[in-house]
Amino acid sequence: MSAFFKLLARNRLALGGLIVMTVVVVLALLIPVLPLADPYATNTGNRFALPFSEGALLGTDHLGRDLLSRLMWGTLLSLAVGFAAALVAATIGSAIGITAGYLVGTRILRRGEPLAALAHFAVGYGLGTVLLLVLGALPGLLTFVLVAAATGIAAWALARTAIPVLGGARVPLAVCAALFGALIAAALGAGPIITPLAIAAVGTLLLLLFYARMDVDNGLMRLVDMLMAFPYILLALAIVAALGPGLLNALIAVAAVNIPFFARNIRGITVGIANREFVDAARLAGMSDVRIILTEILPNVIPVIVIAMSTTIGWMILETAGLSFLGLGSQPPQADLGSMLGEARSALITNPHTSIVPGVMILIIVMAINLLGDGVRDALDPRLKSGALNRPLPATLVARDRAPVPAHNDGILTMSGLETQFHVKDRVYRAVGGVDLSVKPGECLGIIGESGSGKSVTALSVMGLVASPPGVITGGSVRFSGEDLVGAPYEKLRSMRGKSVAYIFQDPLATLHPLYKVGDQLIEAISSHRSIGRAEGRKKAIELLEAVRIPNAKSRVDTYPHEMSGGMRQRVGIAMALANDPEVIIADEPTTALDVTVQAQILSLLNDLRRERGLAIIFITHDFGVVGQLCDRVAVMYAGRIVEEGPTKAILDAPQHPYTARLIACVPELGEGKRRLEAIPGLPPVVDKLPDGCAFADRCDRVHASCRQGDIPLEGNGTRAVRCLFPVNMKEAAE
Amino acid sequence: MAGYILKRLITAIPVLFGISVIVFLIMALIPGDPATAILGSYATPENVARLNADLGLDKPEWQQFFIWLGNMLQGDFGRSFQLNRPVLDEVLERFNATLVLAGTSFVLCSVLGIVAGVISAANQYGWADKGITFVVLLGISIPSFFLGMMMILVFAVNLRWLPASGMWPIYGDRDLWALLRHLAMPAFALSVVATGVIARLSRSAMLEVLRQDFIRTARAKGVHERGVIWRHALRAAMVSIIPVLGIQAGFVLSGAVYIEVVFQWPGIGRMLVDAILRRDILLVQGGVVIVAACYVLFNIVVDVAQSLLDPRIKT
Ligand code: SF4
């Protein structure tokens, strides 16, 4: 609770709203002791006095009544009515919402229950009465029989056609009930009142629920939908029309039209909570539903109710003021802010101050409440607390404090000393801690590591695609053909994205735009870099789809991503990467979401493309089996750094880093790395608290005291390098 | 698609029936006797009884309901005793004026709201975002009728730029220009609240979408940031914005009642308020049912638009 207030206080706008509201409420409560004039005392000699005139600080209205006093009383009234309406709407709406959400899947009626028979009875009774009246309400024997037969047949037909599920055994029950209802109706004759109709309506509703197998949730929400089918003012007007103008009736109307809003919101939240373990546990413990709702669900729902209330209360004050403004709310001489404004309207042009005073007051109150409401919502909504709703900038932020070291290698794409961090509040996560890597044209470099090892972040850093905030590139360089991309202007970076370096991502269902046809997405990839006509673009798109061996490419261009299989979607992803003939393709776990056969197809496709087009590929994976099929060289990453690097075959044959050795041991057979890295005991270190010395020390079975002292360099001879003081397989490697 | 529309139209039938039941029941609650209201309190009992019989009010309520419903289905909404003309004629005429006002406002608030929300999200925490957030807060906090009154004061009384009230000039041509001049203030005042709500929602929908993977894909393709925001992000965000547009249409229609009163717009909202105060029940019933029916149909249009926009929705 105190954390909540601290958060609220930190929000300066909300604090402002809170202060204004406190002042207004305190003043309103102090009215009886304040030296105010009588708000109802008319003085026609002193009409429309201007503000700051003698004896009337804010002037007087058309009857010479003191505006300040009326304003204060009006404020008190408006606030009281607004809060009361919000409270009523929240209570009733939440009760409906919680009931519906908690009882999702609980049928209102189960088959064969007496209620169903009752429903048939009601329909029969209603139909019978109607028929009687149509026939002219003759209480003779003939009518009696006619009516019973007709309604019985009608109800039977209804039962038969409505739902085929209705088994033969139940039809007699339905017909009997309906016939019985019709007989009663006939016996009683046509009641001149609305009752038979209401009974039949309720019966029909029950029948619908019964046959449509609606659950409580569905039934309640249908009703709420019905209420929401009105523009709210119509319902409010109809209620006021029925009850008559008056402030209390306006309150009822405003509360009533806001019930659906609460019901919907609270239902959604309750559905989520009702499925959680602690609720199941309570059920298993034999707690009654009412107790579960009160002790388990309600406490979890209350914050949402508070949010919904705090964000709508201002609105309700406006609505009440509106009804009063129309003359349907508070009646003279009593006046809330709305009716003050309404009365002043006729003198708007000659004496605007009588309108401005109450109008500005409404504005101040509602604005303060809205500010406060937003503050309450932000303080209570955990999603906003973590700052997760930040939008990622077009390119990752760069904050290099030192000049990048010159490139050490002459590959087409070379990273040296690359450092990428995540800055979340006061914590710094070192996702990538100084990575040197390089690929040559036609070469495939694998980067392998567990999730969280920094391999994806390394890849995304190349084209500035790390989400920022929170990502920041804090050091090193990424050179494409010798040119440093880190800190390059956005337009430069953009023109190279997809054209020089293209990406293939992991889950193509999430990474392709769901609402555009794949052909259009391919054409867009091209047209982002050179202008291309509609027809030519389409031709090129088909060619690309053919290049990745998608059958029926001509018809597939016009499909949406969700209409394709996972493998086909990933082929589209690859086609998109190929669209501008890039020099380098970075594939970030492109086969992880696919099954083994499709995985093999995609790998061989990538391999062929590399051969045909001389592509450089950086292939990111956690699966050594995949690396073995495709990559010339491999770099193993752990906790943001490279721990071993070398030719794939050499490393597979004789891993030197204990971590690499474990990774390889985890692969049962090439290409079927289902039993993956989880088999290594322990977890990688959290990258905001990296230990001194070797990051793998806690999980290493060769660990030695010296491993934990000081930085361990990546050392090697010729093609291989390893970051370990006590490497394995040294003998074989030396041979 | 045609099948989908048909299905939605059929599901609207019970809703419409429900609406007419609710309207009738609420109206049936009204105490007092319409005939007395029409004839005044000095009427003789015989006259009251005769008028009640003429109006069909001597029959039981449920019969009245079916008579009323049946007549409605044939396009007969009864006569307004106050105006002494068919309810339907009056309602349609008034509804036309409301549609002009509310329709303009709806277009205005949709366009302004979405554009403001997108700009706000694209410049999160920047000056544009802060400015828009403040204006939006102001917009959803000001009572539209008060805003309307202040606009009259400034633009009609002081600056004399625009006419203060009505839909058409009393003298002079009824051309488009005259209509636009009369429409400008009320349409703007009416759209302010909805613009604020739509802008807020568009902003958060955009922020939600901008974090998703396909935005990163678009950027990785080299799509320009403008394209990322307006083509990729907005298109996806529209899926959650459109239903809110449907709801806001109801709010615009509702707000029209106040604005019509303030600007003396000859619309249906003002007619309903007058009818309620004069207890012209048939007029209230007819007006409410027709507006509600239009709103239901409009929501079907929204749903259809939604399914056109999102190919994942099965039609
Ligand atoms: S440096 Fe030491 S702890 Fe680290 S991997 Fe090598 S042997 Fe194990």
Side-chain angles (χ1 to χ4, degrees), chain A residues 133 192-193 374 391 494 511 524, chain B residues 60 62 122 200 217 222 231-232:
Chain A
L133 276 140
I193 326 196
D374 290 352
R391 73 158 292 214
R494 184 199 71 78
T511 55
E524 190 192 28
Chain B
W62 68 269
R200 275 189 160 198
T217 311
R231 224 173 28 244
H232 287 254

Side-chain angles (χ1 to χ4, degrees), chain A residues 538 542 551-559:
Chain A
R538 192 180 161 85
I542 295 173
N552 304 328
K554 275 206 182 61
S555 59
R556 290 296 175 94
V557 269
D558 290 322
T559 51

Side-chain angles (χ1 to χ4, degrees), chain B residues 290-308:
Chain B
I290 289 177
V291 176
C294 286
Y295 183 61
V296 169
L297 289 182
F298 178 79
N299 269 315
I300 295 178
V301 173
V302 171
D303 284 353
V304 171
Q306 180 80 333
S307 70
L308 285 177

Side-chain angles (χ1 to χ4, degrees), chain A residues 657-658 694 696-697 700 702-704 707 712 723-726:
Chain A
H657 197 282
C694 180
F696 189 57
C700 181
R702 299 164 76 92
V703 62
H704 195 275
C707 297
I712 301 167
R723 194 190 294 275
C724 176
L725 293 182
F726 308 100

Side-chain angles (χ1 to χ4, degrees), chain A residues 39-40 48 61-63 65 67 70 324-327 330-348 351 354-355 358, chain B residues 149:
Chain A
Y40 303 122
F48 294 123
D61 71 357
H62 60 290
L63 295 176
R65 294 174 295 195
L67 264 183
R70 288 180 69 74
S324 287
F325 173 78
L326 296 176
S330 71
Q331 299 295 311
Q334 184 196 47
D336 69 351
L337 294 174
S339 54
M340 280 178 75
L341 202 52
E343 285 173 23
R345 196 169 67 87
S346 49
L348 172 65
N351 292 284
T354 50
S355 301
Chain B
M149 286 162 70

Side-chain angles (χ1 to χ4, degrees), chain A residues 638-726:
Chain A
Y638 189 78
R641 307 179 83 176
I642 294 175
V643 294
E644 180 162 11
E645 192 186 346
T648 311
K649 185 159 182 354
I651 288 191
L652 276 175
D653 288 349
Q656 292 180 347
H657 197 282
Y659 177 62
T660 317
R662 292 265 198 85
L663 281 186
I664 293 172
C666 284
V667 181
E669 247 164 72
L670 284 190
E672 288 182 32
K674 279 285 170 236
R675 195 156 50 88
R676 293 181 314 227
L677 304 174
E678 289 78 44
I680 303 180
L683 289 169
V686 183
V687 280
D688 71 327
K689 299 191 212 93
L690 285 182
D692 272 351
C694 180
F696 189 57
D698 287 347
R699 296 163 82 188
C700 181
D701 48 14
R702 299 164 76 92
V703 62
H704 195 275
S706 57
C707 297
R708 299 188 192 271
Q709 289 155 10
D711 201 43
I712 301 167
L714 184 69
E715 283 181 329
N717 49 343
T719 55
R720 297 194 61 169
V722 64
R723 194 190 294 275
C724 176
L725 293 182
F726 308 100

Side-chain angles (χ1 to χ4, degrees), chain B residues 246-259:
Chain B
I247 296 172
Q248 284 307 310
F251 278 72
V252 169
L253 214 50
S254 300
V257 174
Y258 308 121
I259 296 299

Side-chain angles (χ1 to χ4, degrees), chain A residues 516-531:
Chain A
Y516 287 113
K517 293 172 181 164
V518 295
D520 293 338
Q521 301 195 43
L522 286 170
I523 297 170
E524 190 192 28
I526 304 167
S527 65
S528 294
H529 297 287
R530 64 186 171 91
S531 57

